[in-house]
Amino acid sequence: MFHAKKPSSMNGSYENRAMCVQGDSGLVLTTDPKPRLRWTVELHDRFVDAVAQLGGPDKATPKTIMRVMGVKGLTLYHLKSHLQKFRLGKQPHKEYGDHSTKEGSRASVMDIQRNVASSSGMISRNMNEMQMEVQRRLHEQLEVQRHLQLRIEAQGKYMQSILERACQTLAGENMAAAAAGGGGGYMGNLGSSSLSAAVGPSPHPLSFPPFQDLNIYGNTTEQVLDHHNFHHQNIENHYTGNNAADTNIYLGKKRPNPSSGNDVRKALLMWSDQDQDLSGHQPFDDEHRIQIQMATHVSTDLDSLSENNCGELLERLSPRKSPLSPMLIQGMNSPFG
Amino acid sequence: MTMNHPYDDFPHLLFSNNTATATSTSSCVEQHDGISLDMDWDCDFHNLIESMMSDKGATTESPPLLPCYHGQEGIFNSSSTGSSMADELDHDVEAGESKGLRLVHLLVAAADASIGADKTRELTRVLLAKLKDMTSPNDRTNMERLAAHFTNGLSKLHKEANVQRQYGPHQHPDHVYDQVDVMLAFQMLQNMSPYINFGYLTATQAILEAVKYERRIHIVDYDITDGVQWPSLMQALVSRNTGPSAQHLRITALSRATNGKKSVAAVQEAGRRLTAFAESIGQPFSYHHCRMDSDTFNPSSLKLVRGEAVVINCMLHLPRFGHQPPNSIISFLSEAKTLNPKLVTLVHEEVGLMGNQGFLYRFMDLLHQFSAIFDSLEAGPARGFVERVIFGPWVSGWLTRIAITDDGAEVESVASWPLWLATNGFKPVEVSFANRCQAKLLLSLFNDGYGVEELGKNGLVLGWKSRRLVSASFWASCESSE
């Protein structure tokens, strides 16, 4: 039931302009030249209830809302605009969990909701929904992380086993060939034992940075976490001791980046200071292989070797999309005559 | 469209009469295929080029291509006179960058010449010889090493063309790496880049979601390689249901006759390994091998079981050293549609398929693609090994493939695989939030610079900086039930 509100208790900005009267229907209308409906808390609550009954703001229409609310004097026009505002108020928060949002848009979500829902009850209801949505997404992300870890492990185990088998087969063949007096493969001097020593107890071939050190949550959830005063600790602790005991997926720090492409001079200086493991064609003997096997697990500072960004060179050369000049295109049809 | 002729931007690459280089260049000549390159690059080469160019009907606006050596003393000519260390380093820096650019020019010129008429054959030979001098797979910069691989590839094409391709388009790599080397390099590549695993894991995730409630799963794998994709699927299946609710997995792997006996053996070996692995983790599993004798796939040669959900798995992005005719893929997908698959996973490289574009355009695109991949690889001592074992043959394989234009049989008329699928009776299957999440997570384990984009509603693309590298998309046949 609506009752008249005294002008003094209304929104300050209207005080000077409007005088509100309560009509017969109980609606509060302003008396300025263009009578505007004032959406009081009670009226809005009724509106929200009606919308909920009708299955949400997307399903409800002004007509049906009008019927359900059953308030005399409430016109389609009023409901249309109010419903639109209400929908807008709801939209941004629904998308919260899906995209990363910046500070600005998050603030505006709040603003819109405050405009639409003048009661604090409304705001807290929306916040709950938001929280639930975010928590759901977060939970899903954690699941994905856990699954990915297990899958990578499984793949690594498989690859290791096939590599072992292949090496042993090859070593076996070579030993047989050597026994028969043949030349054997290039691995002629390799016993299977030394190679499986390299392949076997070495750290897992697929070693990845630990998940807890990574920013897997991305911007959205971090902001949300900050906003809701969640503690990162809670989530990280979820993962201590989550590693498989036998395979050594230690998941160290995130890999360092290679030096940025164009600083060739710096890279050259660094190059001349260091041992060049890559120099020359090495006959691929067992020692080299073992080195490589071990070395894949170690991110060293030799990472700076990859300088000179090919991509940028090509970009400078020609705009990628355009085909080359007519002169060059000439004769492109017949290959290799 | 304003389009710069590549050489317009670099006038310093024009012919320059730098006698100081004479000493260094003459030391680089060699006998090559019976044509003596013992000539003074500055003069004779220029004339040679000019004569060839005019034969080709070149317009005067295009400057003759010439390698210019004025910046190169720092690197090549150890007898550079009395310059200080700093000067040499300065030279090196400029030389490094300008050398890279020069290499690209030379490569493009060589590619262009290689498809020209007979008269440019000599030009090609000369350019390739030059490139060989300037590059090596062990050089220090990405561009140099990459150029070496491209040079090798082009050289091979050139040789094959001379031999009139009597062996067909198949690969005869001059250095066949041992199977163990290849496997090792493949494994290392997975540590150095998410390129391979992006395809595998994204597809696997989509499969898991599609078959969540199926009792029996049948995967038809177009190119199983070593079976590396499947252990993670098996692990996921085992962890989510065991015992009476266990899902039964069946994999049928195809081998194509065009790839020879080796591929049959490889497919069978993959089967043995997967069976062993499945047993070790307790996943109900069976494996079948289906031989495609010609390039046409016959679904009736598959063994089907009632009530099973069929999944078609098509990984086209792996380093391929042999030739993969698009017709065989087309046939496979068209016929597979009749099986009413619940899901079709397609992963392919973002290169090569360009409909009717010519060789040179595709060559440039290939260069861009591999540059991006090269730049994106994690550095490390193993890198040179991976580049030699995997990238060399990979580049050669691609070059052969794009060199084969419409002789009739091998037309790559497919502009893009997703487009083909969309217009041939397949409907898109949406990518889930979990899948997107997983992809981002995977990328976060590697260099910055990788990114994942959405490809419509049903796909994800892995890119490096601004270059798309590999995409994964998901489909179902239009008649299959949800």
Side-chain angles (χ1 to χ4, degrees):
Chain A
M1 211 45 222
F2 302 103
H3 44 266
K5 281 199 162 153
K6 298 210 186 101
S8 56
S9 68
M10 287 181 198
N11 191 325
S13 62
Y14 280 83
E15 264 175 35
N16 298 331
R17 283 194 280 133
M19 280 269 293
C20 295
V21 295
Q22 183 184 8
D24 294 334
S25 57
L27 284 180
V28 181
L29 299 163
T30 57
T31 56
D32 57 333
K34 208 179 179 182
R36 289 144 134 267
L37 173 66
R38 177 159 290 281
W39 280 90
T40 61
V41 177
E42 287 89 345
L43 188 58
H44 185 72
D45 278 351
R46 247 170 101 135
F47 171 83
V48 171
D49 286 341
V51 166
Q53 272 183 54
L54 294 163
D58 296 321
K59 290 220 175 83
T61 66
K63 210 175 194 172
T64 54
I65 298 175
M66 192 170 77
R67 214 181 319 130
V68 168
M69 279 176 80
V71 174
K72 262 166 89 178
L74 204 54
T75 66
L76 281 177
Y77 174 79
H78 295 137
L79 286 169
K80 258 193 220 171
S81 67
H82 196 73
L83 180 62
Q84 188 178 45
K85 287 203 199 115
F86 186 69
R87 278 178 183 162
L88 279 174
K90 274 216 166 264
Q91 266 315 81
H93 110 264
K94 252 194 198 145
E95 290 173 350
Y96 208 107
D98 290 344
H99 322 298
S100 68
T101 55
K102 298 174 193 154
E103 277 294 338
S105 57
R106 194 176 64 222
S108 65
V109 167
M110 298 304 173
D111 286 343
I112 290 173
Q113 291 187 326
R114 250 179 250 118
N115 287 337
V116 167
S118 48
S119 73
S120 56
M122 169 63 86
I123 290 177
S124 66
R125 221 179 306 160
N126 285 341
M127 296 276 279
N128 279 336
E129 286 177 36
M130 240 164 52
Q131 258 179 328
M132 273 168 27
E133 175 73 20
V134 163
Q135 272 184 328
R136 196 169 64 75
R137 289 300 198 201
L138 197 60
H139 179 72
E140 216 174 327
Q141 275 178 331
L142 295 177
E143 287 279 302
V144 167
Q145 177 182 321
R146 191 163 58 89
H147 291 154
L148 182 62
Q149 188 171 346
L150 293 170
R151 286 172 205 179
I152 290 177
E153 242 175 66
Q155 186 173 322
K157 267 192 224 168
Y158 176 79
M159 291 196 69
Q160 192 161 2
S161 76
I162 68 181
L163 209 64
E164 273 176 21
R165 254 216 264 180
C167 289
Q168 281 162 8
T169 320
L170 200 65
E173 280 171 10
N174 282 337
M175 300 225 274
Y186 66 95
M187 282 174 57
N189 59 348
L190 177 66
S192 58
S193 54
S194 59
L195 194 61
S196 42
V199 171
S202 63
H204 200 282
L206 279 175
S207 23
F208 286 94
F211 286 114
Q212 53 257 45
D213 284 352
L214 300 174
N215 182 20
I216 58 151
Y217 305 122
N219 291 331
T220 314
T221 26
E222 285 223 75
Q223 286 178 342
V224 172
L225 293 178
D226 288 339
H227 183 72
H228 289 279
N229 293 323
F230 284 5
H231 297 291
H232 282 265
Q233 287 311 312
N234 291 340
I235 293 146
E236 284 188 333
N237 289 340
H238 201 352
Y239 279 89
T240 52
N242 193 26
N243 289 325
D246 44 67
T247 60
N248 195 6
I249 279 210
Y250 61 89
L251 303 181
K253 267 209 307 267
K254 188 167 177 181
R255 290 159 180 270
N257 298 330
S259 67
S260 74
N262 279 325
D263 203 347
V264 177
R265 175 205 282 264
K266 180 172 149 210
L268 284 173
L269 282 172
M270 282 154 70
W271 172 272
S272 55
D273 285 344
Q274 291 161 349
D275 258 0
Q276 298 177 42
D277 290 353
L278 292 181
S279 57
H281 283 279
Q282 301 179 7
F284 197 56
D285 57 14
D286 45 336
E287 199 187 51
H288 188 74
R289 171 171 298 173
I290 294 173
Q291 254 182 20
I292 283 174
Q293 182 77 343
M294 298 300 192
T296 44
H297 320 304
V298 179
S299 311
T300 65
D301 284 335
L302 289 170
D303 289 355
S304 57
L305 291 180
S306 55
E307 60 273 36
N308 204 342
N309 195 320
C310 297
E312 292 194 23
L313 275 177
L314 283 173
E315 284 294 333
R316 260 198 284 161
L317 174 61
S318 60
R320 183 182 311 160
K321 294 191 182 87
S322 53
L324 299 174
S325 80
M327 195 284 277
L328 290 175
I329 288 175
Q330 207 178 57
M332 243 164 34
N333 292 326
S334 57
F336 296 98
Chain B
M1 139 173 76
T2 58
M3 198 279 315
N4 294 328
H5 189 298
Y7 310 108
D8 289 340
D9 299 324
F10 305 102
H12 69 275
L13 290 179
L14 295 186
F15 175 57
S16 87
N17 237 330
N18 194 337
T19 52
T21 64
T23 46
S24 58
T25 50
S26 59
S27 62
C28 300
V29 299
E30 54 190 80
Q31 286 294 109
H32 199 83
D33 285 337
I35 288 189
S36 165
L37 293 181
D38 195 341
M39 54 187 176
D40 179 6
W41 284 94
D42 291 346
C43 297
D44 294 356
F45 192 34
H46 178 59
N47 292 335
L48 182 64
I49 299 262
E50 280 224 323
S51 64
M52 288 180 185
M53 297 300 220
S54 56
D55 283 348
K56 211 173 159 197
T59 59
T60 48
E61 75 178 68
S62 62
L65 167 69
L66 260 200
C68 168
Y69 290 101
H70 74 265
Q72 294 233 345
E73 287 118 273
I75 292 182
F76 289 117
N77 194 347
S78 55
S79 61
S80 61
T81 52
S83 37
S84 69
M85 183 68 166
D87 285 347
E88 267 186 20
L89 283 173
D90 274 336
H91 268 302
D92 282 353
V93 171
E94 289 164 16
E97 285 204 344
S98 60
K99 183 184 181 189
L101 288 169
R102 231 168 287 137
L103 287 174
V104 175
H105 289 183
L106 283 171
L107 280 172
V108 172
D112 183 40
S114 66
I115 54 168
D118 276 320
K119 294 218 171 103
T120 58
R121 193 144 292 166
E122 290 196 357
L123 176 58
T124 312
R125 213 189 311 252
V126 158
L127 287 168
L128 287 176
K130 200 66 239 156
L131 279 164
K132 273 209 178 114
D133 278 346
M134 291 171 71
T135 62
S136 141
N138 298 320
D139 281 340
R140 53 192 100 160
T141 63
N142 285 355
M143 196 61 231
E144 285 168 321
R145 293 195 308 275
L146 185 64
H149 292 301
F150 267 84
T151 305
N152 282 340
L154 281 174
S155 302
K156 234 176 281 161
L157 283 181
H158 187 67
K159 270 190 214 129
E160 276 182 18
N162 287 342
V163 177
Q164 298 200 333
R165 292 202 286 147
Q166 58 193 146
Y167 299 114
H170 305 304
Q171 289 307 293
H172 293 277
D174 41 10
H175 189 153
V176 183
Y177 285 98
D178 188 83
Q179 194 202 17
V180 178
D181 279 354
V182 174
M183 265 198 266
L184 191 57
F186 189 66
Q187 189 171 327
M188 286 173 188
L189 181 59
Q190 290 185 288
N191 284 351
M192 290 162 67
S193 160
Y195 178 86
I196 292 179
N197 274 327
F198 171 79
Y200 281 162
L201 291 170
T202 309
T204 299
Q205 176 66 23
I207 295 175
L208 282 165
E209 288 161 9
V211 301
K212 196 162 178 197
Y213 302 112
E214 304 285 340
R215 292 305 315 277
R216 305 187 67 89
I217 306 161
H218 183 189
I219 300 181
V220 183
D221 196 348
Y222 179 73
D223 184 6
I224 199 165
T225 317
D226 293 319
V228 175
Q229 180 177 1
W230 303 120
S232 60
L233 178 80
M234 291 184 194
Q235 182 277 329
L237 289 175
V238 160
S239 71
R240 82 176 172 194
N241 37 35
T242 50
S245 63
Q247 296 175 281
H248 183 93
L249 175 68
R250 215 150 67 77
I251 295 182
T252 298
L254 262 53
S255 68
R256 290 180 306 286
T258 45
N259 286 350
K261 279 196 221 120
K262 264 196 184 166
S263 80
V264 170
V267 166
Q268 287 170 340
E269 177 63 20
R272 283 191 285 275
R273 295 179 196 137
L274 286 171
T275 306
F277 184 84
E279 209 178 292
S280 76
I281 64 170
Q283 166 64 33
F285 176 70
S286 61
Y287 184 83
H288 308 272
H289 167 208
C290 172
R291 306 163 86 113
M292 266 171 79
D293 284 322
S294 57
D295 272 347
T296 50
F297 172 63
N298 191 354
S300 57
S301 53
L302 288 183
K303 176 184 162 197
L304 298 171
V305 169
R306 246 167 51 106
E308 68 183 7
V310 175
V311 171
I312 307 291
N313 190 67
C314 216
M315 299 284 123
L316 304 176
H317 68 305
L318 300 165
R320 276 270 128 240
F321 309 156
H323 185 57
Q324 223 177 10
N327 290 336
S328 113
I329 302 170
I330 289 173
S331 157
F332 173 67
L333 290 172
S334 313
E335 296 299 321
K337 203 178 16 159
T338 63
L339 299 169
N340 256 339
K342 192 108 195 274
L343 183 71
V344 178
T345 60
L346 176 78
V347 176
H348 66 282
E349 300 165 279
E350 286 282 335
V351 74
L353 293 178
M354 289 234 170
N356 297 324
Q357 293 290 352
F359 174 76
L360 205 55
Y361 190 87
R362 297 167 82 184
F363 179 83
M364 285 300 293
D365 190 54
L366 207 64
L367 201 52
H368 274 288
Q369 172 82 352
F370 276 98
S371 311
I373 297 182
F374 249 54
D375 284 342
S376 72
L377 290 183
E378 305 252 337
R383 185 164 165 160
F385 173 61
V386 171
E387 287 179 7
R388 276 197 304 279
V389 175
I390 302 258
F391 279 88
W394 198 6
V395 165
S396 296
W398 260 115
L399 284 172
T400 306
R401 198 168 154 190
I402 67 173
I404 298 169
T405 54
D406 50 3
D407 286 341
E410 312 270 12
V411 176
E412 287 216 21
S413 55
V414 181
S416 90
W417 288 116
L419 190 62
W420 188 90
L421 283 163
T423 52
N424 279 275
F426 290 90
K427 63 181 183 203
V429 169
E430 228 179 276
V431 178
S432 70
F433 171 75
N435 216 340
R436 285 199 299 274
C437 215
Q438 179 184 255
K440 290 194 190 129
L441 195 55
L442 179 67
L443 295 194
S444 69
L445 303 176
F446 295 90
N447 285 337
D448 288 337
Y450 285 110
V452 172
E453 279 172 33
E454 305 200 358
L455 187 69
K457 281 235 170 294
N458 70 329
L460 294 174
V461 189
L462 169 70
W464 168 261
K465 306 267 165 90
S466 58
R467 171 87 196 181
R468 288 178 160 193
L469 295 182
V470 55
S471 14
S473 56
F474 309 113
W475 311 83
S477 67
C478 284
E479 291 84 30
S480 73
S481 53
E482 278 301 314

